[in-house]
């Protein structure tokens, strides 16, 4: 019976709301804005953090990147027109890191240089990555054609290269790339495979770039030597770097941070000039989560304030409605409605009101992120829980702020209420 | 004599207006038997409406005792009084007191709604009551689309919704012309013949004629009684 009464009250509540469409809409505006802005902001936050997560996932949460960089001191060693910089990671560093802890599963040395790739009349700058086959395990990308580098390539100093999809398409402009020979710098390399291109991260440094050519580390050293020369603006930059990057994969996620700390300590000893930097995606992930948590607290406060404001708006209109409907309340009481039934009627009415506000807010909250994504390209994700949560909260706002007007209505003296005009 | 439906013993009602006390009822003793048709008469301010409100369980006496259908009412809590109004009493007011945003059908259904009668059953009964008072074709209309007399017919149908043994009518014809008033009174007379107890407040002797027993109030006391032959 009570269920039936609730349903009837719901119908009557909806009826009353529909008979005052404009007023009801204005009343719920606070809740609409509250719910809408919360969902929209949560969607933006969630989108950003999922993007960061995605990028971190691409780098690998168990990986540590050690990247060579020119130290500040090194920069000043300039001799008239020729600058010779010697910096970066050493082959020995690779051995030292390998020996450091059994927590390390893989370790990949990387040498980088920029050279033009040429095929017939086509020419484009490539990032030539000299590395070992393990690169492709640490930076897993889909193999689109052919194969990746193999241990044999290194042993034989094979003149082979693996291109990324974008590079392959731009340089070769054909489907059949495997077996083609391209010129990199003064040398010729056979294309043995094509892998998916890395997107290039915004939040995190990703090891691969869009246009990479992977060659065996041994071949690269043999062909191009250890000294890298580049002519720019009349002066020659010469640098001697053994390894540009060392990628480390740790066996378990919980060992990543201690291992990173151990490597850092060790490198500090051997590289007092600090000509390297370390990037730990997992630490960035933690940081991203922390930022998100702070963001959510701020959002929660804004949401709370706007919903309280919305609730007060609803309470205000319901108090007016009680006064306006004093006579009706008197009639209902005279007929035999109990106080609790009057309370129910008004409570359900406010909950319907705030619930409808919540639904409109949800629509707005779905539309705004979609619009943001359309216009700015910023990724947004509306989490389901945010819809359920905000609808629940808006109905609760109706319940809480409707209670006082409803009790006021039920407390009216039936005779006086009947006499009210 | 039939069993007693309404019994008042030395009932008083005092309204406190600031420092001044208004003695609306100054000790009323009254017994109304089950199935009686009683008219309350008397000059304005004599306490007729006050007495009706007490009988109707809308208010409590300042002192004295009141039994309705054998139950002592003046000590009941609010929920129980509501329950008595719902099941034992039907009100017909001078100003109709219909709920303007509800249709004729919904207004008649209201008492059944509060009693928890299932929707289908209550709709059917409400429609039957509307037909009984001659408004079967007006179910979807709102009170604002009806004449005063039709509104009062709806109010009577509503008073009958839960089939109460007692009908209380406070000047039911006060806002109607004499012809429409007659029509209302004929329906009340019918209800009386059904065996319901009817208490009617009126100023008009023509209307009071329908009652077998007429009670005259003056200054909050019963002055005299008349019985029809
Ligand atoms: N709520 C109230 N507060 C104060 N005084 C009241 C109240 N209700 C009624 N009275 C007073 O009680 C007395 C009786 O009023 P009541 O309404 O019962 O008269 P009545 O016989 O119904 O008059 P009428 O024929 O004009 O309707 C009047 O003096 C009135 O002023
Ligand atoms: Mg009166």
């Amino acid at each position: 019976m009570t269920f039936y009464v609730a349903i009837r009250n719901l119908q009557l509540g909806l009826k009353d709301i529909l008979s005052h469409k404009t007023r009801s809409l204005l009343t719920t505006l606070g809740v609409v804005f509250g719910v809408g802005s919360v969902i929209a902001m949560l969607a933006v936050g969630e989108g950003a953090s999922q993007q960061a997560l995605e990028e971190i996932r691409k780098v690998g949460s168990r990986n540590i990147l050690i990247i060579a960089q020119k130290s500040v001191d090194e920069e000043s060693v300039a001799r008239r027109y020729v600058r010779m910089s010697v910096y970066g990671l050493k082959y020995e560093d690779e051995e030292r890191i390998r020996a450091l802890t059994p927590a390390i599963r893989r370790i990949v040395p990387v040498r980088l240089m920029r050279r033009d790739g040429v095929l017939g009349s086509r020419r484009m700058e490539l990032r030539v990555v000299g590395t070992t086959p393990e690169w492709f395990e640490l930076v897993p990308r889909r193999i689109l054609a052919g194969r990746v580098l193999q241990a044999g390539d290194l042993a034989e100093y094979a003149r082979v290269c693996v291109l990324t999809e974008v590079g392959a398409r731009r340089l070769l402009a054909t489907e059949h790339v495997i077996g083609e020979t391209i010129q990199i710098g003064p040398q010729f390399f056979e294309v043995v495979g094509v892998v998916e291109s890395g997107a290039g991260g915004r939040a995190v440094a990703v090891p691969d770039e869009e246009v990479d050519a992977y060659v065996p580390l041994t071949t690269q050293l043999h062909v191009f030597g250890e000294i890298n020369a580049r002519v720019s603006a009349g002066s020659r930059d010469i640098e001697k770097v053994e390894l540009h990057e060392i990628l480390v994969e740790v066996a378990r996620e919980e060992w990543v941070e201690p291992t990173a700390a151990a490597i850092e300590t060790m490198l500090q000893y051997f590289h007092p000039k600090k000509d390297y930097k370390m990037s730990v995606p997992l630490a960035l992930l933690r940081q991203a989560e922390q930022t998100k948590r702070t963001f959510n607290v701020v959002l929660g406060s804004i949401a709370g304030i706007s919903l309280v404001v919305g609730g007060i708006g609803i309470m205000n209109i319901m108090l007016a409605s009680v006064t306006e409907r004093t006579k009706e309340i008197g009639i209902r009481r005279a007929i035999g409605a109990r106080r609790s039934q009057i309370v129910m009627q008004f409570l359900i009415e406010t909950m319907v009101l705030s619930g409808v506000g919540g639904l409109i807010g949800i629509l707005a909250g779905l539309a705004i992120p979609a619009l943001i994504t359309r216009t700015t390209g910023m990724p947004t994700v509306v989490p389901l829980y945010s819809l359920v949560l905000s609808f629940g909260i808006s109905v609760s706002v109706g319940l809480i702020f409707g209670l006082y007007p409803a009790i006021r209505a039920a407390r009216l003296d039936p005779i006086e209420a009947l006499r009210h005009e | 004599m039939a069993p007693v439906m309404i019994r008042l013993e030395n009932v008083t009602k005092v309204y406190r207006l600031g420092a001044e006390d208004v003695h609306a009822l100054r000790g009323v003793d009254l017994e109304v038997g089950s199935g009686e048709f009683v008219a309350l008469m008397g000059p304005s301010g004599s306490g007729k409406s006050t007495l009706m409100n007490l009988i109707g369980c809308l208010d409590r006496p300042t002192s004295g005792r009141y039994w309705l259908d054998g139950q002592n009412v003046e000590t009941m809590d609010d929920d129980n009084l509501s329950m008595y109004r719902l099941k034992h009493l039907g009100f017909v007011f001078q100003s109709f007191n219909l709920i303007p945003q509800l249709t004729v059908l919904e207004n008649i259904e209201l008492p059944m709604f509060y009693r928890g009668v299932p929707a289908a059953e209550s709709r059917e009964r409400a429609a039957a009551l509307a037909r009984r008072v001659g408004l079967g074709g007006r179910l979807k209309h709102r009170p604002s689309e009806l004449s005063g007399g039709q509104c009062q017919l709806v109010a009577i149908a509503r008073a009958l919704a839960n089939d109460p043994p007692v009908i209380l009518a406070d000047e039911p014809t006060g806002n109607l012309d004499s012809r429409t008033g007659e029509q209302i009174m004929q329906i009340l007379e019918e209800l009386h013949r059904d065996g319901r107890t009817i208490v009617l407040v009126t100023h008009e002797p023509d209307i009071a004629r329908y009652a077998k027993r007429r009670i005259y109030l003056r200054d909050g006391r019963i002055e005299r009684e008349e019985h029809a032959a």
Side-chain angles (χ1 to χ4, degrees):
Chain A
M1 282 305 140
T2 42
F3 176 71
Y4 159 72
V5 169
I7 293 291
R8 276 312 293 275
N9 268 324
L10 209 69
Q11 288 172 346
L12 294 177
L14 268 174
K15 211 169 154 174
D16 195 71
I17 286 164
L18 289 178
S19 64
H20 299 111
K21 283 192 200 75
T22 316
R23 192 178 81 177
S24 303
L25 192 72
L26 290 175
T27 306
T28 56
L29 232 45
V31 174
V32 171
F33 285 137
V35 167
S37 57
V38 168
I39 293 175
M41 285 193 277
L42 274 177
V44 171
E46 189 71 23
S49 89
Q50 280 202 7
Q51 188 186 33
L53 266 177
E54 174 70 11
E55 283 172 10
I56 287 161
R57 198 187 55 72
K58 268 197 177 153
V59 186
S61 60
R62 280 185 284 118
N63 294 352
I64 299 168
L65 275 64
I66 306 152
I67 300 159
Q69 63 178 6
K70 263 187 212 166
S71 73
V72 187
D73 299 349
E74 203 62 53
E75 215 95 53
S76 61
V77 185
R79 264 181 268 147
R80 228 174 286 174
Y81 299 108
V82 182
R83 248 185 283 175
M84 168 86 160
S85 327
V86 181
Y87 70 94
L89 302 160
K90 308 282 180 214
Y91 303 120
E92 285 164 344
D93 290 327
E94 187 194 339
E95 296 312 317
R96 288 188 197 114
I97 292 168
R98 200 184 295 279
L100 201 57
T101 159
I104 293 171
R105 181 191 276 172
R106 286 195 191 92
I107 181 160
V108 178
V110 179
R111 275 181 58 79
L112 301 172
M113 54 184 58
R114 298 217 171 256
R115 287 287 185 280
D116 279 349
V118 182
L119 178 75
S121 61
R122 286 174 209 277
R123 175 186 287 269
M124 76 179 300
E125 197 190 57
L126 299 171
R127 191 178 74 145
V128 183
V129 181
T131 187
T132 61
E134 282 183 311
W135 163 281
F136 298 94
E137 315 219 11
L138 232 129
V139 188
R141 298 288 180 262
R142 235 158 11 100
I143 300 168
L144 300 172
R147 62 172 178 88
V148 295
L149 298 179
Q150 291 167 352
D153 297 331
L154 269 86
E156 292 164 15
Y157 291 68
R159 305 232 169 147
V160 292
C161 74
V162 174
L163 295 179
T164 55
E165 188 189 0
V166 175
R169 214 172 332 107
R170 286 204 201 138
L171 192 58
L172 300 163
T174 156
E175 295 292 307
H176 310 287
V177 295
I178 306 301
E180 283 280 355
T181 302
I182 61 168
Q183 192 186 346
I184 300 177
Q187 304 295 333
F188 290 90
F189 286 77
E190 186 193 344
V191 178
V192 293
V194 177
V195 296
E196 197 182 7
S197 287
R202 277 191 234 193
V204 188
V206 182
D208 58 339
E209 284 185 4
E210 224 177 21
V211 185
D212 276 349
Y214 304 103
V215 301
L217 182 61
T218 51
T219 314
Q220 193 200 38
L221 265 173
H222 182 71
V223 170
F224 299 104
E226 280 200 338
I227 292 176
N228 221 345
R230 189 192 302 216
V231 183
S232 64
S235 75
R236 287 183 68 186
D237 272 343
I238 301 177
E239 57 170 33
K240 184 165 182 276
V241 176
E242 288 186 6
L243 290 176
H244 288 86
E245 286 175 10
I246 296 175
L247 312 184
V248 177
E249 187 191 345
V250 180
R252 285 211 216 155
E253 213 164 78
E254 60 264 38
W255 293 342
V256 167
E257 276 156 330
T259 304
I263 293 173
E264 173 105 66
T265 312
M266 191 268 291
L267 286 179
Q268 266 167 8
Y269 179 81
F270 290 103
H271 294 260
K273 285 181 182 167
K274 197 148 179 17
D275 49 359
Y276 67 92
K277 68 172 190 226
M278 291 186 65
S279 164
V280 185
L282 190 69
L284 292 170
L285 183 73
R286 294 264 157 78
Q287 210 176 321
E289 275 171 0
Q290 183 59 44
T291 312
K292 192 182 156 194
R293 227 168 290 141
T294 316
F295 191 62
N296 280 351
V297 168
V298 174
L299 275 188
S301 320
I302 296 171
I305 292 168
S306 59
L307 285 171
V308 165
V309 170
I312 292 171
I314 287 183
M315 179 153 81
N316 191 25
I317 213 72
M318 285 314 285
L319 283 174
S321 169
V322 166
T323 308
E324 190 179 284
R325 291 159 70 185
T326 299
K327 175 124 185 169
E328 177 194 327
I329 294 162
I331 296 169
R332 289 176 184 268
R333 292 282 282 136
I335 284 171
R338 278 181 272 119
R339 283 194 174 135
S340 55
Q341 289 173 318
I342 301 290
V343 169
M344 268 283 270
Q345 181 195 338
F346 280 90
L347 264 193
I348 286 177
E349 235 178 271
T350 36
M351 287 197 295
V352 169
L353 203 59
S354 62
V356 168
L359 284 180
I360 299 174
I362 283 174
L363 291 184
L366 288 173
I368 294 169
L371 212 71
I372 290 175
T373 304
R374 275 273 293 278
T375 53
T376 69
M378 203 154 62
T380 54
V381 176
V382 178
L384 184 68
Y385 81 87
S386 74
L387 301 186
V388 177
L389 187 78
S390 49
F391 182 70
I393 288 176
S394 55
V395 171
S396 314
V397 162
L399 184 73
I400 292 163
F401 289 91
L403 207 56
Y404 174 61
I407 288 174
R408 276 258 297 243
R411 282 276 155 89
L412 289 172
D413 178 61
I415 299 171
E416 274 172 32
L418 269 176
R419 215 175 278 148
H420 194 269
E421 278 313 324
Chain B
M1 194 180 159
V4 178
M5 180 57 80
I6 294 163
R7 179 155 154 237
L8 297 154
E9 246 181 48
N10 197 24
V11 163
T12 70
K13 182 73 195 179
V14 182
Y15 291 108
R16 205 137 278 162
L17 280 181
E20 214 180 319
D21 282 356
V22 180
H23 293 262
L25 295 175
R26 300 167 185 267
V28 172
D29 293 291
L30 176 66
E31 261 187 28
V32 178
S34 181
E36 262 194 281
F37 192 157
V38 179
L40 289 177
M41 301 193 66
S44 189
S46 56
K48 304 182 294 293
S49 293
T50 305
L51 186 55
M52 281 294 262
N53 289 340
L54 289 176
I55 293 172
C57 296
L58 282 167
D59 207 353
R60 276 180 246 254
T62 307
S63 72
R65 312 198 63 188
Y66 170 32
W67 289 265
L68 175 63
D69 206 4
Q71 280 287 316
N72 194 205
V73 169
E74 87 267 355
T75 53
M76 278 185 180
D77 67 11
D78 192 83
D79 275 4
N80 272 316
L81 286 182
S82 303
M83 206 258 287
Y84 259 80
R85 293 198 293 272
L86 190 64
K87 295 183 179 168
H88 291 251
L89 300 161
F91 289 93
V92 182
F93 303 93
Q94 177 174 1
S95 52
F96 322 133
N97 284 347
L98 300 177
I99 295 179
Q101 68 267 31
L102 299 184
T103 63
V104 165
L105 193 73
E106 287 165 337
N107 266 291
I108 299 173
E109 276 190 271
L110 209 53
M112 292 185 271
F113 164 63
Y114 285 123
R115 225 186 68 195
V117 176
E121 189 187 328
S122 96
R123 196 163 308 140
E124 200 172 302
R125 179 163 166 76
L129 286 167
R131 279 195 298 277
R132 177 169 174 187
V133 297
L135 290 174
R138 301 287 190 136
L139 298 182
K140 296 272 173 246
H141 290 230
R142 278 168 214 271
S144 56
E145 298 156 7
L146 301 178
S147 72
Q150 288 169 327
C151 282
Q152 199 58 300
L153 291 169
V154 174
I156 291 174
R158 181 181 66 186
L160 294 172
N162 285 332
D163 198 17
V166 180
I167 300 287
L168 303 177
D170 193 345
E171 300 190 44
T173 60
N175 283 355
L176 305 175
D177 62 43
S178 57
R179 256 194 58 201
T180 322
E182 293 285 327
Q183 194 190 344
I184 297 294
M185 287 318 295
Q186 261 149 30
I187 291 178
L188 285 180
E189 184 152 59
E190 246 176 65
L191 298 179
H192 166 59
R193 274 199 303 260
D194 287 351
R196 278 177 234 270
T197 311
I198 294 175
V199 181
L200 167 77
V201 170
T202 184
H203 286 288
E204 302 160 66
D206 278 355
I207 296 295
R209 250 189 326 107
Y210 285 86
K212 307 287 175 301
R213 181 180 168 198
R214 293 181 281 275
I215 296 167
Y216 291 87
L217 282 176
R218 182 177 289 276
D219 291 337
R221 286 198 182 85
I222 293 179
E223 189 188 37
R224 65 192 166 89
E225 261 190 43
E226 263 174 22
H227 288 265

